[in-house]
Amino acid sequence: MASAFWPHAPPRGSDDDVAQGGQTAEQEPSDWWRAAAGAAGECLAQLDGRKGGAEGWKGRMMGRRVGEKQGNKGRGERELGFKSTEWEEGERDVVEVVGVAVTGQMQDVILLPKDWSPSTSATVPPAILYSDARATNEAKEMASLAGGEDAIVAATGMRQGPTSVLAKLLWLQRHQPHALKEASSLLLGAHAYVCSHLIGRPARVVDSTTLSTTGLATCPNANGVSYASDLLHSLGLSHWLPLLPDILPPTQSCGALSVEAAERMGARHLAGIPVFHSCGDLGASAVGCGAGLPGTEYIYLGTSGWVAGSFPNQPSRHPASQPHDQGSPRLASQPLAPPPPLAWSQGVFTLAHPDPSLVFRTAPIMTAGGNYKWALNTLLNIADVSEAAFHAADVAALSVPAGSGGLLYLPFLNGERCPFEDPNMRAAFIGVSAATTQSHMIRAVLEGVAFALLSAYGAMHTCSSGSRSTGDTAPLRIVGGGARSSAWVRIMASVFNRPIDCLADSQEVGVKGASILAGLSLGWFSTLAPSHGEWVCIERSEVPDPTHSLTYRRMFNAYCAGAAGLARCNEILNCPL
């Protein structure tokens, strides 16, 4: 196995970010390709060094994760996996490269100009990222254009807020009408752009998982997904239809590796091997951590965060289409505080699955590790997230008791997506006293993110079963960079009151998922959860502390009440003077 990371510039606000209320998030697509090609070349060089020359091995280049979460300060997440086989002569391992599989962030707006190809000088405009919330006004208008919010939910299966591609296309029509005239293709994920460079022409394809995050698709059913053409017509977006990509199964190749791309990676002899667009990062991560089939759920703890799993493909119980409990998820039978005046079941995504009989359900929070990095920088004066930084934060957090001395942190640095959607919400500490220390604040940040994920988890199960109460005690898996913090994982276990399994390669589950999907096409596997090989390796497990769980029940009640009060406070603060 070889793995590599390659840096690139982090997301940034648009040129008119201030005019857009500081809610824009863009990235240069060309940076993705440079980082992806650099990481691929590094992986090949690693194998070259082990095997004695590029011509001495045949390569099984399995997967790569591309795209960058907002706020990740330039650390590219670029990975390639290689499968070893046995050389018949001499009993030595070789690597056999037979394909490239790619995964990346979803829900982007990437406009390729007319006559674009990797060899031309045509400039691709900055990609509008999934977290961009500039289209707030357009999101409000969509309901009236479509005949009501229920009509949008009926068409797409989910509420569509300002981060949806639907709203962003309306914004482009109003504020940048030239964008449509100058574009030849609309790509919806970072991996589609990288695939375009890999195959030497526009990869006008999208996987069903990525498509179902955008608002452009129908609800997933037994036949998969299709474009919600009627909804696009009602919103006045029908002229975008010719630019939309074809829906491609994640196990099907989107083209062959071009000579130019192979040379860029330092391996010209690999030209012609198949390139797999695979599926978006959430789906690939689910498959890669063993949650591609029902029964296993996982927490992603990166710059953003989510809880997700695979569920039978049944209609979701969405709050827009039926009465719903606005309370918060229950840890046990102990009564909770009065429910907050928020729609605490918003923002749950029901996404298409590689197996049409299943769906992915995910409940994403806007900022997870971003709070951690903010705390490191602001409270500990640590700029880079390194092993030493994780150790320093862990020592600080574990030096104070569970509950942080009554200090509560609400982790809404960049607004919130689930279980309520409010791009204007901002973070806060509640309960600061003269006795509050730096260590109390560090631990409160970790606990606050855990509470946010727990509330999102309850919303996910409301949409799946209609009930927030879940008696499941099966371990949850945790992946992403935040899993490197042992204190944070320990807190998660007690907040969820369930064991937490940490995977040995938690930052590489996306590339493993892409590899498994490619393996289905290449005949290596017959299931999304292969039992052979080291596909899922549990490094350690944390179990809940019963005393801490009792403390967190009370603190979680305060979190729910505090979020409701903060929402009203933010409304007042955001009112024009």
Side-chain angles (χ1 to χ4, degrees):
M1 177 73 72
S3 178
F5 294 81
W6 205 268
H8 62 64
R12 57 174 174 76
S14 66
D15 292 339
D16 61 345
D17 185 60
V18 174
Q20 299 301 327
Q23 296 181 344
T24 64
E26 296 182 347
Q27 207 162 20
E28 295 295 336
S30 57
D31 288 348
W32 298 335
W33 167 239
R34 280 193 291 269
E42 172 62 24
C43 281
L44 293 169
Q46 290 176 27
L47 292 166
D48 186 18
R50 295 177 199 171
K51 309 305 173 188
E55 297 303 326
W57 50 269
K58 303 180 203 167
R60 200 166 271 189
M61 194 159 48
M62 288 292 301
R64 181 194 299 101
R65 181 181 186 278
V66 300
E68 193 69 39
K69 299 300 182 186
Q70 185 176 6
N72 223 359
K73 301 299 181 188
R75 180 180 174 91
E77 296 186 28
R78 305 291 186 266
E79 303 142 10
L80 289 176
F82 297 80
K83 178 169 179 170
S84 293
T85 58
E86 289 294 319
W87 186 252
E88 294 180 359
E89 301 177 8
E91 294 297 318
R92 65 185 177 89
D93 283 346
V94 296
V95 174
E96 195 178 337
V97 179
V98 297
V100 187
V102 191
T103 183
Q105 69 187 23
M106 307 180 290
Q107 203 178 332
D108 296 335
V109 174
I110 306 159
L111 295 170
L112 297 184
K114 294 176 180 178
D115 300 322
W116 179 89
S117 76
S119 59
T120 66
S121 58
T123 301
V124 177
I128 301 176
L129 301 187
Y130 72 100
S131 53
D132 187 297
R134 72 182 72 183
T136 301
N137 293 332
E138 287 73 19
K140 293 176 181 177
E141 294 173 11
M142 287 195 303
S144 59
L145 290 172
E149 188 173 82
D150 283 3
I152 294 178
V153 174
T156 67
M158 293 174 285
R159 295 175 182 266
Q160 302 297 330
T163 61
S164 75
V165 172
L166 277 176
K168 290 166 183 169
L169 295 184
L170 280 172
W171 186 93
L172 284 170
Q173 285 188 176
R174 175 172 297 173
H175 299 279
Q176 297 180 9
H178 61 279
L180 175 62
K181 297 177 182 178
E182 297 171 359
S184 64
S185 303
L186 169 61
L187 306 183
L188 301 171
H191 47 316
Y193 180 80
V194 170
C195 281
S196 298
H197 277 271
L198 289 170
I199 65 176
R201 55 179 170 79
R204 292 191 55 175
V205 296
V206 64
D207 60 280
S208 58
T209 303
T210 296
L211 179 59
S212 55
T213 67
T214 63
L216 302 174
T218 59
C219 302
N221 56 41
N223 297 316
V225 296
S226 59
Y227 283 108
S229 300
D230 291 344
L231 177 62
L232 293 175
H233 280 283
S234 67
L235 296 177
L237 296 173
S238 57
H239 38 284
W240 289 94
L241 283 169
L243 274 65
L244 295 179
D246 297 329
I247 304 170
L248 187 74
T251 56
Q252 185 174 326
S253 169
C254 66
L257 184 66
S258 71
V259 172
E260 293 77 13
E263 288 179 340
R264 178 70 180 270
M265 295 186 292
R268 189 181 191 281
H269 59 287
L270 294 181
I273 63 174
V275 174
F276 296 91
H277 178 272
S278 190
C279 71
D281 54 1
L282 184 142
S285 295
V287 173
C289 78
L293 297 176
T296 299
E297 297 166 339
Y298 76 102
I299 299 169
Y300 174 77
L301 203 54
T303 302
S304 63
W306 62 69
V307 289
S310 298
F311 297 84
N313 191 347
Q314 300 169 349
S316 62
R317 299 170 180 268
H318 198 280
S321 57
Q322 67 172 53
H324 62 283
D325 169 21
Q326 291 186 336
S328 44
R330 304 184 186 278
L331 287 173
S333 58
Q334 178 175 323
L336 291 172
L342 296 167
W344 277 63
S345 291
Q346 292 180 349
V348 177
F349 282 77
T350 298
L351 308 181
H353 194 285
D355 179 350
S357 69
L358 303 173
V359 293
F360 294 119
R361 286 219 170 91
T362 179
I365 65 171
M366 187 67 82
T367 312
N371 289 283
Y372 188 92
K373 191 160 189 175
W374 172 84
L376 287 177
N377 189 29
T378 306
L379 301 175
L380 297 180
N381 197 29
I382 297 174
D384 296 321
V385 181
S386 62
E387 291 303 323
F390 276 106
H391 177 72
D394 282 356
V395 169
L398 295 176
S399 69
V400 296
S404 304
L407 182 66
L408 182 67
Y409 178 69
L410 303 174
F412 311 127
L413 285 178
N414 301 297
E416 190 52 289
R417 302 177 77 183
C418 180
F420 58 89
E421 189 164 14
D422 186 348
N424 297 314
M425 188 78 114
R426 290 298 177 262
F429 283 102
I430 298 175
V432 179
S433 73
T436 299
T437 67
Q438 183 184 69
S439 295
H440 286 113
M441 299 179 83
I442 291 291
R443 183 171 187 122
V445 169
L446 303 186
E447 291 172 342
V449 174
F451 293 145
L453 287 165
L454 177 64
S455 65
Y457 180 82
M460 181 177 74
H461 277 272
T462 294
C463 288
S464 298
S465 65
S467 171
R468 289 184 175 272
S469 300
T470 62
D472 196 351
T473 58
L476 290 165
R477 289 177 178 164
I478 189 165
V479 302
R484 294 154 64 193
S485 168
S486 59
W488 210 353
V489 176
R490 198 175 304 176
I491 288 168
M492 288 282 180
S494 293
V495 166
F496 277 81
N497 201 24
R498 290 172 67 175
I500 302 287
D501 288 339
C502 296
L503 303 187
D505 52 359
S506 65
Q507 291 182 278
E508 299 185 356
V509 293
V511 72
K512 282 195 171 184
S515 301
I516 290 169
L517 289 165
L520 289 170
S521 176
L522 296 170
W524 299 342
F525 313 121
S526 59
T527 173
L528 288 169
S531 58
H532 62 284
E534 296 181 357
W535 291 103
V536 178
C537 181
I538 296 173
E539 184 176 62
R540 72 184 193 278
S541 296
E542 295 286 352
V543 296
D545 182 307
T547 304
H548 292 182
S549 291
L550 287 172
T551 298
Y552 289 142
R553 288 177 186 172
R554 177 175 56 83
M555 294 292 292
F556 185 65
N557 289 341
Y559 173 88
C560 296
L566 186 61
R568 176 57 183 151
C569 180
N570 275 287
E571 284 181 11
I572 296 172
L573 290 173
N574 284 301
C575 284
L577 297 177

